[in-house]
């Protein structure tokens, strides 16, 4: 049916709305909105140590065995008495247990704690923002992080970004498959629409296309 016939039949506004919806989200589902500020702070998933993380290793009553170290690109660390201890993929508590076991060969009942001071995170925990943004980047996930937090970290949208056609790709651990969600970055950043702010999860990828006109 021609467009002018649809308009005469009163279907014009409906068609326009459908066209607008398809351009904005591409038929992808949307995530529920998140608050600008978390109403209740909750801990995130246990942090997993990644390459280049800065660690503070403290051995109680043994300052000569304590050290500040950086995780090497090969995922290992070296501390006094311990060479090439694997660190990547472990939580700080797990690494502390492994260090305690290794140091137990030299001192009796060592008490070890591991604190992550500067973190990069494993790829599975980073938020990656690519496409039409001021500075595409991978940023470490932190508890209660939202879409707004991530966009502030990369400097917002570029001049030619089609923000409301952006998509968020998330790995679903229960199904082992990736899911795509529509995100409305222009509504969030330019119009202050709080309903467009959503909570992020470790490993989320945000892809921002450029406008075609």
């Amino acid at each position: 049916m021609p467009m002018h016939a649809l308009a005469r039949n009163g279907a014009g506004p409906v068609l326009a709305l459908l066209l607008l919806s398809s351009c904005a989200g591409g038929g992808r589902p949307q995530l529920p909105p998140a608050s600008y500020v978390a109403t209740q702070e909750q801990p995130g998933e246990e942090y997993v140590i990644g390459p280049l993380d800065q660690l503070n290793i403290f051995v109680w009553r043994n300052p000569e065995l304590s050290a500040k170290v950086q995780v090497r690109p090969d995922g290992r660390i070296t501390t006094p008495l311990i060479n090439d201890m694997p660190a990547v993929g472990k939580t700080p508590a797990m690494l502390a247990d492994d260090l305690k076991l290794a140091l137990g060969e030299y001192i009796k009942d060592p008490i070890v704690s591991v604190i992550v001071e500067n973190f990069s995170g494993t790829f599975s925990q980073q938020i990656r923002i690519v496409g039409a943004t001021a500075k595409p980047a991978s940023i470490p996930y932190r508890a209660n992080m939202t879409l707004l937090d991530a966009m502030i970290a990369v400097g917002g949208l570029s001049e030619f970004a089609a923000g409301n056609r952006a998509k968020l790709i998330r790995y679903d651990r229960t199904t082992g498959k990736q899911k795509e969600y529509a995100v409305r970055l222009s509504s969030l950043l330019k119009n202050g629409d709080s309903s467009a702010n959503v909570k992020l999860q470790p490993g989320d990828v945000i892809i921002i296309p450029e406008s075609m006109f």
Side-chain angles (χ1 to χ4, degrees):
M1 182 181 294
M3 289 289 292
H4 63 274
L6 284 171
R8 285 199 302 270
N9 292 334
V14 176
L15 180 61
L17 181 60
L18 289 173
L19 289 172
L20 182 61
S21 299
S22 63
C23 289
R28 301 183 189 93
Q30 293 193 12
L31 294 163
S35 302
Y36 282 119
V37 179
T39 55
Q40 181 179 0
E41 291 292 335
Q42 297 176 348
E45 297 181 2
E46 283 193 311
Y47 182 76
V48 176
I49 296 169
L52 306 183
D53 282 356
Q54 297 277 353
L55 307 179
N56 188 355
I57 298 170
F58 176 75
V59 184
W60 189 57
R61 290 187 174 177
N62 289 273
E64 71 281 1
L65 300 180
S66 301
K68 290 187 177 183
V69 299
Q70 184 178 45
V71 182
R72 302 197 303 261
D74 65 0
R76 297 172 179 267
I77 60 172
T78 295
T79 67
L81 298 181
I82 301 174
N83 291 320
D84 295 334
M85 167 70 72
V88 165
K90 300 176 182 178
T91 65
M94 292 168 59
L95 179 58
D97 287 341
D98 289 346
L99 290 169
K100 178 181 177 180
L101 184 62
L103 288 172
E105 298 181 10
Y106 306 98
I107 59 176
K108 184 179 179 180
D109 299 326
I111 298 175
V112 182
S113 62
V114 176
I115 299 172
V116 182
E117 293 192 335
N118 292 307
F119 55 92
S120 299
T122 60
F123 284 121
S124 64
Q125 289 192 309
Q126 292 178 357
I127 304 296
R128 281 167 280 181
I129 304 100
V130 297
T133 179
K135 46 180 180 179
S138 292
I139 58 177
Y141 173 83
R142 66 176 186 270
N144 303 304
M145 179 177 277
T146 68
L147 185 61
L148 178 62
D149 298 324
M151 293 310 300
I152 291 173
V154 296
L157 298 171
S158 71
E159 181 181 358
F160 303 104
N164 280 357
R165 290 197 292 112
K167 61 183 178 180
L168 183 150
I169 300 175
R170 176 172 293 170
Y171 177 75
D172 189 332
R173 292 180 175 85
T174 59
T175 63
K177 297 180 180 179
Q178 290 184 341
K179 287 187 176 181
E180 291 188 5
Y181 298 92
V183 286
R184 297 179 291 117
L185 293 175
S186 294
S187 297
L188 173 64
L189 301 176
K190 296 181 179 180
N191 302 328
D193 184 353
S194 60
S195 68
N197 194 30
V198 300
K199 289 191 71 173
L200 300 179
Q201 292 183 8
D204 281 352
V205 179
I206 301 164
I207 301 177
I208 309 167
E210 288 191 348
S211 176
M212 294 181 290
F213 51 86

